[in-house]
Amino acid sequence: MKHTWYKEGVVYQIYPRSFQDSNGDGIGDLRGALSRLDYLKNLGITIIWLSPVYQSPNDDNGYDISDYRDIMTDFGSMADFDAFLEGAHQRGIKVLMDLVVNHTSDEHPWFQASRSPEITPYHDYYFWRKTEHPNKKPNNWTSFFGGDAWDYDATKGQHYLHLFSPKQPDLNWDNPRVREEVKEIIRFWLDKGVDGFRCDVITIISKRQGLPNGRFRLVLKGFEHYANGPRVHDYLKELQRDVFSHYDVMTVGEATFISATDALSYVSEERRELDMVIQFDHMNVDSFNNKWIIIPWTVRKLKNVLAQWQTVMAKGHGWNCLYFENHDQPRSISRFGDTQRYHYESGTLLATYLLTQQGTPFIYQGQEIGMTNYPFASFDDFLDVEARRIYTLGKQSLHLSDKFLFKTLSYMSRDNARTPMQWSNAPHAGFTTGTPWMRVNPNYESINVETALKGKSILSFYRDLIAYRQSHHTLVYGEFQLYLKHHPHFVVFTRQDEEETFLVVLNFSPRTIALSLPRILCNNHWESVMSNYEKRPIEQVIYHPYEIQLFRKVVSSSQ
Ligand code: ISL
Ligand code: CA
């Protein structure tokens, strides 16, 4: 297997709006992020993924870009960006930008020109369709955020396609001019020195010719006509050939609803259209059909889905992107752990799971201190465009009860991940001296960086485990093997190469339980090298709630 920096790295995602405010306007910014680089360095982070910082009217918090070569006024200036990039590089940290090119903002000059009733070269930058009547849609596709994927533009007298919000019109990648524009944008940032991109919804950029109707689905009608669409591989190869291959960069593509086998068509070493993909299988363990139909998750499902990705990527020479959180997902400790009694234990268990699999681990801001979901009190607390659209859809079209909608949104809404970073127990958690754009989680008084830095904490565990992983490359490259597939509570796997063997044991339950290890593992001599309780011999089989033990195989008496 090829060894490279991005495989050995640990990524930290900054959602700039909620990370650190520097000027008291209540909005996180680049100067603020710059001031926290030492914190990230000390944590052991080697790569930052910066969620979009480009000029944007903020309908979807920066995922709707109106100028790809300028910085959002809220976040500062290009000089601030340059200072941030330089500050990161000085500390040996690489920076990935978020490349959002499936769509632009409707306020982007291309779209403004495109919507003109006159024929301009920009007409074909987007998908415009004329129907007999403004109320008749060109096809039955629905948007990721609920409702129709088409909006009628009265100036032009036509409908345009938007797979996300109406303020995010989809770009027409079949137009070679669009592809050249995208390449120019990528070069602009690479020439500045950025180290790669997280490519937003990149697997849906190619839509089937003729935009045919989709078959019936509860949500996302039309999906089969653009997910891994007909020319997506051609377009990614073109980007590789014309741009990426000329730089030493890392690319990670967001790939909604992709199977591990499909993923290989993007990331296998032979194809290398992308270095890795953000997959969703393990994020779907607590929902059915779509993320809003919530069901209980099981340890069995979670570990088997993850193990499948481990195995398929290894066999097909691909590479995994490992994550439990990002700005679109609820907080993992609220979802898979225990925010009350076993906050430390379950937070460190999730850290262990994340950092001991094969792949590049991604940590989302606040995850390293065990930030939790927000205690929503009313519908007004939901600020996210998706949550608001889902609420309207649920209410008006599906006639769902307020109680049901409130419960569902409270659990799954993206707002959960977007509350300000909890730095200290100062007012507004030290995020801002002004009024934060989004309310701080009231538990900041106990869950915050300053407190966590004082002693044993989820944060110190992350730091120690990252350092351990960085000095034991078996945890990066070693082969993965799952044991006890059917066990309802334990996750047990090994990582192995010519140098070392590790055995990871996670008790994913709030109970004290006994583990009986498969005989094959008992034939070895193991020593515990890390635990969230006490390190102890493998023969002691009683595991505490959410206990983890990281064992290392002892090969000779001298070691
Ligand atoms: O959270 C989701 C909506 O149900 C996801 O399906 C999400 O919309 C999807 O993964 C695409 O996400 C990315 O593109 C969106 C943006 O809103 C997300 O924040 C981004 O991560 C549109 O740019
Ligand atoms: Ca600010």
Side-chain angles (χ1 to χ4, degrees):
M1 185 182 300
K2 240 182 84 205
H3 289 206
T4 46
W5 59 268
Y6 65 75
K7 292 183 179 170
E8 289 160 27
V10 176
V11 180
Y12 189 92
Q13 182 189 353
I14 293 181
Y15 194 67
R17 203 169 194 78
S18 303
F19 192 55
Q20 176 69 67
D21 179 20
S22 72
N23 62 353
D25 67 355
I27 300 174
D29 47 51
L30 285 162
R31 287 273 156 201
L34 174 65
S35 73
R36 295 299 186 178
L37 285 175
D38 284 328
Y39 165 74
L40 298 181
K41 172 83 189 160
N42 290 335
L43 183 56
I45 299 305
T46 62
I47 304 166
I48 289 170
W49 151 23
L50 197 56
S51 270
V53 292
Y54 317 92
Q55 200 60 263
S56 159
N58 273 312
D59 183 55
D60 188 14
N61 288 351
Y63 284 88
D64 49 320
I65 298 166
S66 53
D67 186 344
Y68 289 87
R69 291 180 181 75
D70 198 6
I71 297 297
M72 191 191 298
T73 322
D74 287 343
F75 293 164
S77 63
M78 192 57 91
D80 295 332
F81 176 83
D82 293 339
F84 175 81
L85 184 64
E86 196 185 325
H89 284 167
Q90 275 166 1
R91 290 167 179 82
I93 299 175
K94 306 216 184 229
V95 176
L96 310 179
M97 301 287 282
D98 213 313
L99 184 70
V100 188
V101 287
N102 171 70
H103 45 267
T104 68
S105 162
D106 65 336
E107 296 179 33
H108 193 288
W110 300 336
F111 191 77
Q112 293 301 321
S114 183
R115 81 180 352 161
S116 144
E118 271 109 70
I119 300 295
T120 78
Y122 291 98
H123 174 83
D124 282 331
Y125 270 45
Y126 299 87
F127 294 95
W128 290 101
R129 293 293 182 275
K130 218 176 159 64
T131 62
E132 307 88 78
H133 191 272
N135 288 338
K136 186 170 160 32
K137 306 288 172 186
N139 68 23
N140 68 355
W141 295 7
T142 54
S143 138
F144 276 74
F145 294 159
D148 290 320
W150 295 93
D151 252 40
Y152 182 73
D153 187 87
T155 335
K156 194 165 177 107
Q158 296 191 23
H159 296 84
Y160 66 92
L161 177 70
H162 61 87
L163 292 179
F164 294 90
S165 101
K167 286 186 67 64
Q168 294 168 300
D170 281 57
L171 280 169
N172 173 17
W173 275 69
D174 295 331
N175 181 347
R177 280 169 180 258
V178 167
R179 304 202 296 276
E180 290 312 314
E181 300 264 21
V182 170
K183 290 178 208 167
E184 281 307 314
I185 293 166
I186 298 175
R187 286 189 196 105
F188 174 84
W189 291 98
L190 289 178
D191 290 340
K192 259 186 175 298
V194 312
D195 305 284
F197 294 92
R198 175 268 189 187
C199 310
D200 193 63
V201 290
I202 200 70
T203 52
I204 67 170
I205 56 176
S206 168
K207 281 83 176 167
R208 192 177 312 285
Q209 288 289 322
L211 313 181
N213 276 327
R215 31 163 215 275
F216 177 78
R217 283 170 67 100
L218 274 177
V219 287
L220 271 191
K221 267 195 222 63
F223 193 74
E224 67 276 22
H225 298 305
Y226 55 79
N228 310 309
R231 297 190 63 192
V232 65
H233 294 293
D234 298 337
Y235 298 154
L236 288 176
K237 281 200 188 83
E238 188 178 321
L239 291 187
Q240 268 298 339
R241 184 195 65 207
D242 294 352
V243 197
F244 291 132
S245 63
H246 303 276
Y247 302 80
D248 176 23
V249 293
M250 153 177 178
T251 56
V252 44
E254 190 198 22
T256 43
F257 306 109
I258 202 173
S259 72
T261 317
D262 286 345
L264 286 176
S265 64
Y266 295 93
V267 303
S268 71
E269 216 136 79
E270 301 74 58
R271 310 262 303 228
R272 275 288 303 287
E273 292 169 15
L274 297 163
D275 294 320
M276 59 190 100
V277 293
I278 299 172
Q279 56 92 10
F280 285 74
D281 281 349
H282 68 304
M283 291 284 104
N284 295 335
V285 297
D286 55 356
S287 63
F288 171 76
N289 185 295
N290 77 78
K291 73 187 243 190
W292 302 108
I293 305 180
I294 296 159
I295 56 168
W297 66 281
T298 63
V299 173
R300 223 179 275 150
K301 201 154 147 194
L302 182 67
K303 71 179 166 186
N304 282 295
V305 163
L306 285 171
Q308 200 213 357
W309 275 83
Q310 291 286 304
T311 314
V312 174
M313 284 305 115
K315 271 211 188 104
H317 307 287
W319 189 249
N320 269 293
C321 160
L322 308 168
Y323 76 98
F324 285 127
E325 284 185 30
N326 59 42
H327 65 294
D328 292 338
Q329 299 294 338
R331 291 292 183 174
S332 60
I333 194 164
S334 300
R335 204 172 180 181
F336 303 119
D338 181 330
T339 59
Q340 300 299 316
R341 230 174 127 194
Y342 299 114
H343 185 256
Y344 170 78
E345 292 77 4
S346 62
T348 49
L349 175 138
L350 288 165
T352 311
Y353 203 1
L354 180 75
L355 290 161
T356 57
Q357 293 171 88
Q358 190 185 66
T360 303
F362 282 54
I363 298 166
Y364 178 65
Q365 66 184 45
Q367 181 178 351
E368 76 279 19
I369 54 168
M371 277 178 63
T372 69
N373 280 355
Y374 185 80
F376 296 98
S378 82
F379 283 112
D380 293 337
D381 289 343
F382 298 104
L383 305 183
D384 178 27
V385 59
E386 179 188 52
R388 285 186 277 114
R389 285 179 68 92
I390 290 294
Y391 174 74
T392 314
L393 179 82
K395 229 27 225 165
Q396 290 172 0
S397 312
L398 305 172
H399 309 292
L400 299 171
S401 74
D402 271 0
K403 195 170 161 220
F404 174 82
L405 281 167
F406 190 74
K407 209 174 141 208
T408 306
L409 286 172
S410 298
Y411 177 84
M412 199 55 105
S413 153
R414 310 193 297 185
D415 286 303
N416 282 305
R418 301 176 178 187
T419 61
M421 178 70 183
Q422 295 164 207
W423 293 106
S424 71
N425 54 21
H428 310 304
F431 162 71
T432 180
T433 52
T435 308
W437 74 277
M438 187 178 189
R439 250 173 271 170
V440 175
N441 193 314
N443 64 19
Y444 76 91
E445 293 192 10
S446 57
I447 302 175
N448 64 68
V449 169
E450 200 178 83
T451 306
L453 283 173
K454 285 190 186 131
K456 181 180 115 168
S457 60
I458 299 177
L459 180 62
S460 66
F461 189 93
Y462 264 95
R463 194 185 49 216
D464 294 349
L465 189 52
I466 290 171
Y468 194 83
R469 178 184 167 101
Q470 305 300 53
S471 54
H472 294 267
H473 275 178
T474 307
L475 289 174
V476 176
Y477 295 110
E479 194 185 306
F480 173 97
Q481 169 86 50
L482 183 72
Y483 293 89
L484 302 181
K485 274 196 182 111
H486 303 292
H487 198 289
H489 303 303
F490 278 106
V491 177
V492 177
F493 57 89
T494 51
R495 300 293 312 284
Q496 175 170 17
D497 62 12
E498 310 78 57
E499 308 212 331
E500 290 186 297
T501 305
F502 288 96
L503 168 62
V504 181
V505 179
L506 315 173
N507 172 13
F508 235 117
S509 94
R511 276 173 296 278
T512 300
I513 47 176
L515 170 70
S516 77
L517 275 178
R519 181 150 314 147
I520 178 159
L521 294 172
C522 301
N523 295 338
N524 299 310
H525 189 174
W526 300 96
E527 65 167 354
S528 171
V529 291
M530 199 158 303
S531 174
N532 55 359
Y533 285 79
E534 298 294 315
K535 288 187 250 179
R536 56 185 170 76
I538 201 160
E539 292 75 22
Q540 241 166 279
V541 296
I542 304 296
Y543 278 75
H544 301 292
Y546 296 104
E547 176 167 353
I548 76 99
Q549 293 287 342
L550 175 60
F551 294 107
R552 181 174 158 276
K553 190 164 160 181
V554 182
V555 273
S556 80
S557 54
S558 62
Q559 274 187 319

